[in-house]
Amino acid sequence: MEFDVVIVGAGPAGLSTACRLAQLGREHNQELMICVVEKGSEVGAHILSGAVFEPRALNELFPDWQENGAPLSTKVTEDHIYLLQNEADGRKLPSFMTPKTMHNDGNYIVSMGNLCRWLAQQAEALGVEIFPGFAAASLIIEDDVVKGVVTGDMGLDAKGEEKDGFMPGMELRAKYTVFAEGCRGHLGKELIARYALDKDRSPQHYAIGFKEIWDVPADKHQPGLVVHSGGWPLDEASGGGYLYHAENGQVLVGLIVDLNYSNPYLSPFDEFQRLKHHPVYKQYLQGGKRVAYGARAITKGGLNSLPKMSFPGGLLVGCEAGTLNFAKIKGNHTAMKSGMLAAETLFDAVKTGSVGADLTAFEDKIKASWLYDELYRSRNFGPAMHKFGTFWGGAFNTIEQNWFGGKLPVTLRDDTQDYAQLQDKDKSQKLSYAKPDGILSFDKLSSVFLSNTNHEEDQPCHLQLKDTSIPININLARYDEPAQRYCPAGVYEIVEESDGPRLQINAQNCVHCKTCDIKDPSQNIRWVVPEGTGGPNYPNM
């Protein structure tokens, strides 16, 4: 099938690209063939975000979004920021002691999954074709120009042989292809390497973000209340917790753990379970019921790590490239803006008959926009936290943001790779975690159950090992195989057998967070797409 533009990924960046491109086509009476492919079973099925949403880009894309029923109904009413000293104590910080970028006046507590569903409806009304359940598995590259993508084969068994009902993948060809796969997209990773898009940039940095949705008693619910925390339980990592009071008697609670931590015994999942027992969080969750769980990696490198976003025949947008504003802990409005600027660039090219060019004008549009201004002002935020720690890094960031507006005449850099920070187990303190109580804290498998994750069992494993000997001979020997702990879904398991230990991969559990692809110290795991519709089915994350 041939299109003017193919967009990979129906998240906020991809859908904003589609909507703005279709709008421009209508405004100029030019009919465009636009296709969006989405690996989730439906739009929103794989979307996970906190999320406190800044509507700046949405206001530009659809000024009448309120009249058209966009699912933004819970406005932020209060901001509480805590520094947690230990498992029992926490200090609420006054406004002047926190970066003003973390204040949320005019923002909304939303489900990004539901907002993406709404954006998909707007896109389809504008004539965009959206194909959920079709995973873009490989690139079409001819004469070093990206010409589109091939969707994955359906109906292969675990050995890669055709089963009854086999359906081969389809070539989706386009004048230009936009990659909006989100954090650590597997095709984006390939494109960055092939075209050296990250040359002379700092390495990309990542975190893993957890989220649960809880139904809480009416007397505990304060719609619009936003709680953030730093410090405990992350004694050996940077990051922070959040709890947002959404609509319908629900709170959204989670923890973000930066993936540059060094102790291989650290378990981000178990740190999250600990967090919920802290009085600051427990006061809202006690008596409630957990109804949803999920996890997703987050791209946090910011401006210093932003790759070149254009290459022959295509563009990278949103978290695929890393447009999140670290100082605000927000990436949805910036992802949307990057998609809108991509659409303007693409329209200018397509209307002149251009095919397969390197649209470097996209970089110029970004640099002239508020998106670049935001990323520039927050360029030091992450490196400060990584270099100075939560307290002193937070103090530096408060001063820079509140006194200098993010424009101190100094640029901090973090040029280390997250995966390379792990220490040998012999140099690390072994950590122990309390058994979950089944009330506030839970195990991985019962959590994955709530994510509605499902994969066709008899299919090729989508978690590929470049060298099958490394997990035991290197990762277990040196690091006690950290995949057992950094995976939030119990995918990786060391099984003791008579002839020695082996790594078992429970690929059916995978929630598509991409943490293994990022944090494996040997960079031996390659995450590729499973069959379309596989993975989590988040209802309103």
Side-chain angles (χ1 to χ4, degrees):
M1 298 177 67
E2 295 198 4
F3 299 89
D4 291 304
V5 176
V6 166
I7 299 166
V8 180
L15 290 170
S16 296
T17 306
C19 289
R20 184 67 190 129
L21 190 55
Q23 287 175 344
L24 288 166
R26 285 200 174 184
E27 289 168 14
H28 293 83
N29 293 316
Q30 186 164 347
E31 188 173 343
L32 298 174
M33 296 289 290
I34 306 165
C35 163
V36 180
V37 288
E38 164 57 41
K39 67 182 171 69
S41 60
E42 63 170 0
V43 173
H46 289 178
I47 297 293
L48 186 145
S49 184
V52 174
F53 180 74
E54 181 176 315
R56 185 174 187 177
L58 182 62
N59 290 338
E60 296 178 6
L61 184 59
F62 291 108
D64 56 353
W65 59 263
Q66 287 176 304
E67 294 85 348
N68 285 334
L72 281 69
S73 58
T74 306
K75 213 165 191 176
V76 174
T77 56
E78 290 182 72
D79 264 314
H80 296 176
I81 300 179
Y82 288 85
L83 181 62
L84 306 183
Q85 280 95 3
N86 53 47
E87 62 188 18
D89 298 321
R91 180 184 177 191
K92 185 178 174 184
L93 300 177
S95 180
F96 74 89
M97 288 183 65
T98 62
K100 63 182 180 181
T101 51
M102 295 185 67
H103 302 163
N104 288 290
D105 295 341
N107 295 335
Y108 293 81
I109 298 169
V110 305
S111 157
M112 279 310 297
N114 289 339
L115 181 54
C116 286
R117 292 179 178 98
W118 182 85
L119 285 170
Q121 292 170 0
Q122 311 314 303
E124 289 180 326
L126 288 162
V128 175
E129 295 188 61
I130 300 178
F131 301 137
F134 287 89
S138 60
L139 301 165
I140 302 172
I141 300 180
E142 297 170 355
D143 300 322
D144 208 36
V145 175
V146 175
K147 297 292 183 74
V149 294
V150 182
T151 63
D153 294 337
M154 305 279 278
L156 293 176
D157 66 17
K159 296 179 181 178
E161 296 175 356
E162 296 178 13
K163 297 186 291 189
D164 292 341
F166 169 76
M167 287 177 54
M170 181 181 295
E171 287 192 4
L172 301 175
R173 290 180 169 265
K175 296 171 183 173
Y176 290 98
T177 309
V178 178
F179 294 85
E181 301 169 285
C183 175
R184 196 71 166 197
H186 84 289
L187 296 180
K189 178 183 169 186
E190 187 177 332
L191 289 162
I192 289 169
R194 180 185 181 100
Y195 294 106
L197 302 179
D198 56 355
K199 184 182 178 183
D200 301 325
R201 267 65 166 190
S202 291
Q204 190 57 264
H205 296 286
Y206 303 92
I208 179 171
F210 295 89
K211 180 180 178 180
E212 292 177 351
I213 301 177
W214 285 64
D215 290 332
V216 300
D219 61 346
K220 303 276 182 73
H221 191 238
Q222 301 176 42
L225 173 62
V226 166
V227 177
H228 285 116
S229 68
W232 189 91
L234 298 179
D235 300 324
E236 301 203 32
S238 53
Y242 67 89
L243 186 144
Y244 307 149
H245 288 247
E247 59 193 354
N248 301 324
Q250 293 190 321
V251 298
L252 321 173
V253 61
L255 179 68
I256 295 169
V257 182
D258 289 353
L259 288 175
N260 67 336
Y261 64 83
S262 60
N263 189 335
Y265 291 112
L266 187 143
S267 166
F269 174 88
D270 290 297
E271 297 291 345
F272 173 40
Q273 301 310 308
R274 292 173 74 198
L275 176 73
K276 291 178 289 178
H277 286 275
H278 194 282
V280 167
Y281 288 81
K282 184 178 180 180
Q283 64 180 316
Y284 299 113
L285 301 176
Q286 207 161 25
K289 180 184 178 184
R290 187 178 70 147
V291 296
Y293 165 85
R296 184 71 170 94
I298 303 166
T299 318
K300 296 181 71 175
L303 187 69
N304 297 338
S305 304
L306 201 66
K308 181 173 180 285
M309 296 167 70
S310 66
F311 47 88
L315 302 172
L316 304 176
V317 295
C319 290
E320 181 94 81
T323 56
L324 178 137
N325 181 340
F326 200 153
K328 291 183 175 180
I329 327 176
K330 291 178 180 61
N332 291 309
H333 69 296
T334 49
M336 292 178 67
K337 183 62 174 177
S338 73
M340 293 156 64
L341 294 170
E344 293 171 10
T345 309
L346 291 162
F347 184 76
D348 290 344
V350 171
K351 75 179 181 183
T352 61
S354 168
V355 177
D358 185 347
L359 300 179
T360 55
F362 183 38
E363 305 269 327
D364 299 330
K365 283 186 179 290
I366 286 176
K367 285 183 177 177
S369 73
W370 58 257
L371 169 58
Y372 185 87
D373 181 61
E374 279 204 19
L375 296 184
Y376 178 80
R377 289 171 185 262
S378 69
R379 73 197 183 285
N380 289 328
F381 209 93
M385 299 294 280
H386 291 172
K387 287 177 179 291
F388 309 139
T390 299
F391 182 81
W392 292 112
F396 174 91
N397 286 329
T398 299
I399 291 169
E400 187 187 29
Q401 297 300 320
N402 294 4
W403 296 5
F404 296 94
K407 293 193 173 182
L408 269 176
V410 61
T411 295
L412 303 178
R413 294 189 177 275
D414 181 354
D415 289 331
T416 60
Q417 294 277 5
D418 288 348
Y419 70 84
Q421 301 310 298
L422 275 184
Q423 296 177 343
D424 286 10
K425 64 182 182 182
D426 297 339
K427 299 177 182 177
S428 305
Q429 179 185 356
K430 202 160 188 175
L431 304 177
S432 60
Y433 295 96
K435 187 178 179 182
D437 65 3
I439 300 170
L440 292 175
S441 50
F442 304 89
D443 62 24
K444 284 184 180 178
L445 294 185
S446 66
S447 300
V448 173
F449 177 78
L450 289 181
S451 71
N452 303 306
T453 294
N454 186 51
H455 294 88
E456 173 63 42
E457 208 160 322
D458 186 19
Q459 66 169 299
C461 181
H462 69 280
L463 302 162
Q464 301 177 351
L465 300 179
K466 299 174 190 174
D467 183 337
T468 57
S469 70
I470 282 177
I472 301 303
N473 295 344
I474 296 178
N475 287 1
L476 185 64
R478 288 189 60 184
Y479 308 106
D480 195 39
E481 184 47 279
Q484 302 175 87
R485 290 173 290 278
Y486 60 61
C487 173
V491 169
Y492 300 96
E493 184 181 359
I494 294 294
V495 177
E496 296 290 344
E497 295 184 333
S498 58
D499 56 348
R502 67 175 177 87
L503 179 70
Q504 179 166 301
I505 300 178
N506 306 307
Q508 303 96 313
N509 289 5
C510 178
V511 294
H512 296 204
C513 75
K514 310 294 181 69
T515 304
C516 58
D517 194 287
I518 296 164
K519 189 59 176 172
D520 176 34
S522 303
Q523 292 295 277
N524 186 49
I525 299 172
R526 180 171 177 254
W527 194 102
V528 300
V529 289
E531 280 191 6
T533 75
N537 281 282
Y538 297 133
N540 58 337
M541 293 289 251

